[in-house]
Amino acid sequence: LLRIAGRASGVRTDAERMARLAALGSPRAAAAHDLLRFSESVERDLAKREGAPLHDPCTIAYLMNPSLFETVPAKISVETASALTYGHTAVEFRLTEPSTVRWAIGVNAEAVFALLSIQLLDQRVRRVDLEDGLGVRHFLPAGFENLAHLQA
């Protein structure tokens, strides 16, 4: 999920997403907005890129709704013996046996940002219970029913 969030096509902040976040008006949204503004400045100053990747929120979004991510089977190993490459993550897609490990290769970034934004709303808002075509139940705040189409 880290690579997906960091890609230009991944889940990154931009002016429009930040404006939508600020407009939510809840204390949680304001705190998230401030943290992401800081992350944007770090990304801009150190990495010379615009927009902050949402690594940790992507992990939470995956746990909440894995269908928003496209994944493929993979073998993943972490280097622990070499001083030069210690901690390197090696990913192999040419499998010789079945794997239960999945590697994210795509994401519905707008749907992830919408899902996270909904969680930052004031939770006292009346919720609407929806079921998507896959049989997954979603609890969206009233007024957000139109976001159900963002299901991958």
Side-chain angles (χ1 to χ4, degrees):
L1 294 175
L2 292 176
R3 185 156 297 172
I4 289 295
R7 277 192 202 153
S9 62
V11 184
R12 299 180 71 84
T13 60
D14 61 25
E16 182 183 331
R17 288 176 178 163
M18 291 299 285
R20 283 187 282 160
L21 187 60
L24 292 175
S26 74
R28 281 186 283 216
H33 184 270
D34 290 346
L35 289 169
L36 288 171
R37 276 285 178 233
F38 173 78
S39 294
E40 284 182 324
S41 69
V42 169
E43 193 75 5
R44 184 175 42 258
D45 296 344
L46 298 179
K48 308 299 183 215
R49 289 187 295 240
E50 291 300 317
L54 278 72
H55 298 299
D56 294 344
C58 274
T59 302
I60 301 303
Y62 181 82
L63 293 172
M64 293 176 72
N65 190 345
S67 69
L68 298 179
F69 296 82
E70 180 185 0
T71 63
V72 294
K75 178 181 179 187
I76 300 174
S77 303
V78 178
E79 176 61 54
T80 59
S82 169
L84 180 62
T85 58
Y86 185 82
H88 173 79
T89 303
V91 183
E92 180 59 61
F93 298 105
R94 297 167 295 190
L95 304 176
T96 57
E97 56 189 55
S99 174
T100 59
V101 175
R102 308 290 296 182
W103 183 263
I105 60 169
V107 61
N108 183 335
E110 269 309 305
V112 168
F113 200 84
L115 175 65
L116 298 171
S117 295
I118 288 167
Q119 300 307 310
L120 294 170
L121 284 170
D122 186 337
Q123 294 300 305
R124 293 173 291 179
V125 174
R126 181 180 65 82
R127 290 178 168 242
V128 175
D129 182 359
L130 298 173
E131 185 170 333
D132 65 20
L134 301 173
V136 177
R137 299 192 78 71
H138 301 275
F139 299 95
L140 304 177
F144 280 80
E145 296 88 347
N146 62 331
L147 293 178
H149 75 281
L150 293 173
Q151 175 73 22

